[in-house]
Amino acid sequence: MKAPERIYMAQTLIQHRLHPSTRSWLKRGLDLLGSLAGLMILAVIFVPLVIAIRLDSRGPIFYTQERYGLHGKIFRIRKFRSMVLNADEIKHLVDNEANGLIFKNRNDPRITRVGRFLRKTSLDEFPQFWNVFVGDMSLVGTRPPTHDEVARYEPHHWNRLDVKPGITGEWQVHGRSAVLDFEQVVQLDLRYQQRWSVVYDLLLIVRTLKVVLNGQGAY
């Protein structure tokens, strides 16, 4: 068990937190149905996206990264690569327009031409339906943090990990990439936990579809 997971588990044992969404069979059933639908769409769009990414820039098709999920459990996500091959190595050359523990830049030069299309349409996220299918993620949840974020967490930030991370969530329907303050992200994640129900998950999914189709807040 790695350090962040140990820290979270120690806090959980003390505070006895157990969010009802983590025990809901209805939520898990919705996740399975939604992930299967997403994977079927992925099967249709996979070859055209692979060709487009290959023609646009050199490098792998997928970008793979460790994220932290429910109770600090580490898992790996895959996205269709939307940045240049050495994006992580040159990150320090790009100005961070966000506040706190997240990194955002509206005109990030590391994003490829195809990558901007993938991000605007959220097609880069489709491989994460596999994470939902196997149970690492949910269709709706909190934004899954990276190691860099978790390493600098304050005590109240750990509350975000009381539920599974989601492909979408409150942050997705309230600005997506336009949310530039980490504490606002935290507040949105905690609000989701307070309001959670299966009906609310369905409402957020519908709102996410509207946001994505309108191309709002994505870059």
Side-chain angles (χ1 to χ4, degrees):
M1 187 180 296
K2 295 187 179 181
E5 188 175 356
R6 288 199 302 271
I7 295 171
Y8 178 89
M9 292 303 292
Q11 291 186 347
T12 301
L13 289 172
I14 294 172
Q15 299 181 29
H16 303 288
R17 292 194 298 255
L18 192 60
H19 195 272
S21 67
T22 63
R23 307 189 304 272
S24 173
W25 287 100
L26 284 176
K27 182 175 178 64
R28 181 56 183 156
L30 178 63
D31 285 346
L32 287 173
L33 289 175
S35 61
L36 286 172
L39 290 171
M40 286 190 288
I41 297 173
L42 176 61
V44 174
I45 64 176
F46 183 79
V47 172
L49 290 184
V50 167
I51 294 173
I53 293 169
R54 285 290 191 193
L55 291 176
D56 188 44
S57 65
R58 66 185 184 90
I61 298 302
F62 296 110
Y63 174 73
T64 304
Q65 189 178 45
E66 283 190 347
R67 296 290 181 101
Y68 288 81
L70 178 65
H71 300 165
K73 179 182 177 182
I74 298 174
F75 67 99
R76 300 186 73 83
I77 65 167
R78 287 181 177 82
K79 296 183 178 183
F80 284 115
R81 183 174 56 83
S82 61
M83 288 189 171
V84 295
L85 183 60
N86 62 335
D88 289 335
E89 287 76 11
I90 61 175
K91 182 179 178 179
H92 66 283
L93 301 176
V94 181
D95 291 333
N96 186 9
E97 297 175 350
N99 298 316
L101 306 185
I102 53 176
F103 187 93
K104 299 288 181 183
N105 184 293
R106 186 176 296 274
N107 298 303
D108 195 327
R110 300 173 300 162
I111 301 176
T112 64
R113 289 173 299 176
V114 169
R116 293 200 178 276
F117 170 76
L118 293 176
R119 290 187 171 206
K120 190 174 184 63
T121 57
S122 291
L123 290 174
D124 61 322
E125 308 281 354
F126 265 71
Q128 293 175 54
F129 281 111
W130 176 254
N131 293 107
V132 176
F133 181 74
V134 300
D136 291 328
M137 295 179 64
S138 177
L139 293 177
V140 186
T142 59
R143 179 182 167 276
T146 64
H147 176 74
D148 288 345
E149 294 173 33
V150 170
R152 294 181 288 163
Y153 264 10
E154 298 294 334
H156 68 285
H157 296 151
W158 290 100
N159 296 332
R160 303 177 65 235
L161 305 184
D162 286 351
V163 300
K164 284 185 180 181
I167 292 181
T168 189
E170 288 275 3
W171 85 93
Q172 186 81 344
V173 300
H174 290 91
R176 300 171 78 185
S177 295
V179 179
L180 298 178
D181 190 297
F182 178 68
E183 292 301 331
Q184 184 180 354
V185 173
V186 173
Q187 291 304 312
L188 289 171
D189 285 343
L190 298 183
R191 185 170 75 173
Y192 167 73
Q193 295 183 26
Q194 295 168 357
R195 296 183 175 184
W196 175 82
S197 70
V198 173
V199 173
Y200 193 57
D201 274 3
L202 289 170
L203 178 62
L204 289 176
I205 290 171
V206 172
R207 288 180 175 175
T208 298
L209 292 174
K210 291 182 180 179
V211 167
V212 171
L213 290 175
N214 290 332
Q216 298 173 2
Y219 56 84

